[in-house]
Amino acid sequence: MDEFELIRRYFDRAATADGVVIGIGDDGAVIEPTPGLQQVQVIDTLVEGVHFPENFNPTDLGYRVVVVNLSDIAAMGATPRWMTLALTLTAADDEWLTGFAEGLHGACVEFGVALIGGDTTSGERIVGTVHITGEVEPGKALTRAGAKPGDRVFVTGTVGDAAAGLDGLRTGQPVKTLFNRFSRPSPRVAYGRALSGLATAVIDLSDGLLGDLGKLAEASGAGAEIELERLPLSDDLRGHYSADEQRRFALTGGDDYELCFTMSGEPPDPGILQVTEIGRITSTPGVACRLDGELVEIEDPGYLHFQ
Ligand code: ADP
Ligand code: MG
């Protein structure tokens, strides 16, 4: 199977989506943006052995490489539209590619994004890069930069599950429901759009709550304070780990892909999604944590590449 046969077989799903003038198969894709809307561009790479373990389920990888990007689109309050994929493979294995394509196209269908092109190469480990273009009303993109002292800090869903799931894999005692939160994150695309025009600042949680909230606070020229009792923790996390471990995963574990946002008033109706108030924006730089009202020190600011 050569490169062209591979693309045709696994990736060319004749994008009939809106705005696709020329899709996969030519030297470049041509899209027709919605008149009057601004574009949001996001890109994220997943490297085998760095962002996902070796022998990771290919269907989950295909799904995950799309949704980690959709989480950035969500954090910008945008609507996802078009996507390209750069894929490096160690071998052209039919079973692996069938699984990967199933997860990838599944995520595209679920969130209404069209695969319009890409590049396929061979290399020494599996690397997947997805780029997504989203659209947003002019001036309505959400940013990290608008939080004001006194704003309330909220987080969607529960935090710490994905990191605990990965930890279970390392220790040889995997908890399936927790590992599922790592392999199949739920990007909060609809809620991100609902926050548009309401939230003062938004960030998605990819590197851990403390580090990511710290980035939001810094971009806003402010600080934050959170109350550790308020952290939204799943029953699974509580059931399998000590209070200390729960807190460590929730604060410094990455890969949750929930949204952390700030606003002065009430958040929009989240429907069945859980939204929890965890603290306040302050004028003191950094993120302070309180447990039973007392300030506590937390080490480990989350995952940093190239330190
Ligand atoms: P070129 O050599 O001109 O860059 P390629 O042979 O790499 O073109 O790709 C042929 C077509 O297949 C292009 O439309 C490209 O966007 C698409 N393509 C290549 N790899 C992928 C992939 N992994 N997923 C989706 N489309 C792909
Ligand atoms: Mg090429």
Side-chain angles (χ1 to χ4, degrees):
M1 172 168 56
D2 65 19
E3 183 191 335
F4 306 105
E5 170 66 7
L6 185 154
I7 294 163
R8 197 191 54 71
R9 207 187 285 180
Y10 302 102
F11 298 114
D12 192 355
R13 295 281 197 286
T16 50
D18 286 353
V20 182
V21 182
I22 297 174
I24 292 171
D26 217 303
D27 291 313
V30 178
I31 54 165
E32 180 78 54
T34 308
L37 295 189
Q38 293 180 337
Q39 293 193 341
V40 175
Q41 311 281 350
V42 304
I43 184 167
D44 248 318
T45 295
L46 301 183
V47 179
E48 183 179 34
V50 179
H51 303 98
F52 61 95
E54 278 172 37
N55 300 316
F56 189 54
N57 179 290
T59 310
D60 290 342
L61 181 63
Y63 189 85
R64 196 167 186 275
V65 73
V66 178
V67 298
V68 297
N69 278 281
L70 289 171
S71 180
D72 283 325
I73 289 281
M76 299 301 292
T79 302
R81 298 296 309 275
W82 306 287
M83 167 176 128
T84 54
L85 164 73
L87 184 62
T88 299
L89 297 171
T90 54
D93 179 75
D94 173 63
E95 195 182 325
W96 193 93
L97 275 158
T98 300
F100 179 84
E102 182 190 324
L104 184 96
H105 294 299
C108 286
V109 169
E110 183 177 347
F111 294 96
V113 52
L115 178 65
I116 58 168
D119 196 23
T120 309
T121 55
S122 68
E124 274 155 36
R125 47 171 141 174
I126 299 168
V127 182
T129 300
V130 158
H131 171 263
I132 295 181
T133 300
E135 291 186 322
V136 69
E137 295 280 336
K140 286 287 176 61
L142 297 165
T143 72
R144 301 175 176 184
K148 301 267 179 318
D151 281 356
R152 302 156 75 187
V153 178
F154 299 89
V155 67
T156 63
T158 58
V159 287
D161 298 328
L166 261 191
D167 179 74
L169 202 66
R170 271 190 290 266
T171 59
Q173 288 169 313
V175 180
K176 200 160 178 291
T177 45
L178 292 175
F179 187 67
N180 233 354
R181 291 289 315 275
F182 171 82
S183 45
R184 296 227 153 206
S186 302
R188 306 305 185 187
V189 179
Y191 200 63
R193 273 202 305 267
L195 289 174
S196 175
L198 295 174
T200 49
V202 186
I203 190 167
D204 75 313
L205 300 180
S206 53
D207 297 335
L209 178 61
L210 268 193
D212 290 328
L213 177 57
K215 289 180 200 164
L216 180 152
E218 193 183 343
S220 297
E225 203 170 279
I226 58 179
E227 291 170 48
L228 300 184
E229 306 66 4
R230 291 191 170 201
L231 290 175
L233 307 175
S234 72
D235 291 342
D236 285 321
L237 185 64
R238 291 179 196 272
H240 288 90
Y241 290 92
S242 71
D244 258 9
E245 289 169 316
Q246 293 166 30
R247 224 167 277 139
R248 180 165 62 83
F249 289 131
L251 291 173
T252 65
D255 299 306
D256 288 318
Y257 297 104
E258 296 294 347
L259 296 179
C260 177
F261 63 95
T262 59
M263 54 200 297
S264 57
E266 283 299 310
D269 180 5
I272 58 165
L273 179 64
Q274 183 180 338
V275 169
T276 309
E277 182 172 2
I278 58 167
R280 286 261 192 275
I281 295 296
T282 65
S283 51
T284 312
V287 180
C289 296
R290 284 189 190 274
L291 189 58
D292 300 322
E294 301 292 324
L295 283 174
V296 290
E297 278 298 316
I298 309 286
E299 289 154 30
D300 183 356
Y303 192 88
L304 295 175
H305 291 269
F306 306 121
Q307 249 207 333

